[in-house]
Amino acid sequence: MRLLFLVLLVLVGLIQYPLWLGKGGWFKVWDYQRDVAAQREVNEGLRARNAALEAEVRDLESGQGALEERARGDLGMMREGEVFVHVLPPGTPLPSANAVPQATAPKPPPKPGAAAAAAPSQRR
């Protein structure tokens, strides 16, 4: 009787092994369920990002406002007649006037009458 009980216990153990530890066992199923849940979260984040990108593409295709906003923010463009004001953070030293080269306007040619008027005074 004891031998029959021992044989049945071993058979039950052999049947239970694939259920718990085999390829499609419960432990693998739990791991797969955890992986699927993590992947679903990643997919939801990617769906939200794709929706935002799709909305931005639609804005860029349909309206001038989105194009203007992109040009102003990314490229630093301004409208004609606007004044650009750069606000420095507190504690930033101001650039010196000599550090920034100033564009010089070409000198206008002298007027013909002015040269003749200056010439007699130099003769004396």
Side-chain angles (χ1 to χ4, degrees), residues 15-112:
I15 290 172
Q16 290 293 313
Y17 175 78
L19 177 66
W20 292 97
L21 303 172
K23 267 188 177 178
W26 285 109
F27 293 128
K28 295 273 186 182
V29 169
W30 290 333
D31 287 341
Y32 292 148
Q33 286 176 345
R34 188 176 46 228
D35 292 345
V36 166
Q39 189 62 45
R40 281 189 180 138
E41 289 179 18
V42 169
N43 289 351
E44 286 302 316
L46 292 174
R47 276 192 193 99
R49 186 194 69 164
N50 287 347
L53 289 173
E54 186 178 342
E56 185 175 349
V57 166
R58 268 188 268 119
D59 276 350
L60 289 172
E61 286 176 346
S62 65
Q64 293 295 323
L67 288 174
E68 183 178 337
E69 179 183 342
R70 179 64 67 100
R72 287 171 178 267
D74 294 348
L75 303 175
M77 298 179 83
M78 297 183 298
R79 282 187 186 159
E80 191 172 326
E82 284 185 337
V83 176
F84 176 75
V85 177
H86 186 98
V87 178
L88 297 174
T92 305
L94 295 174
S96 64
N98 295 336
V100 179
Q102 297 291 328
T104 57
K107 294 180 182 177
K111 294 183 181 179

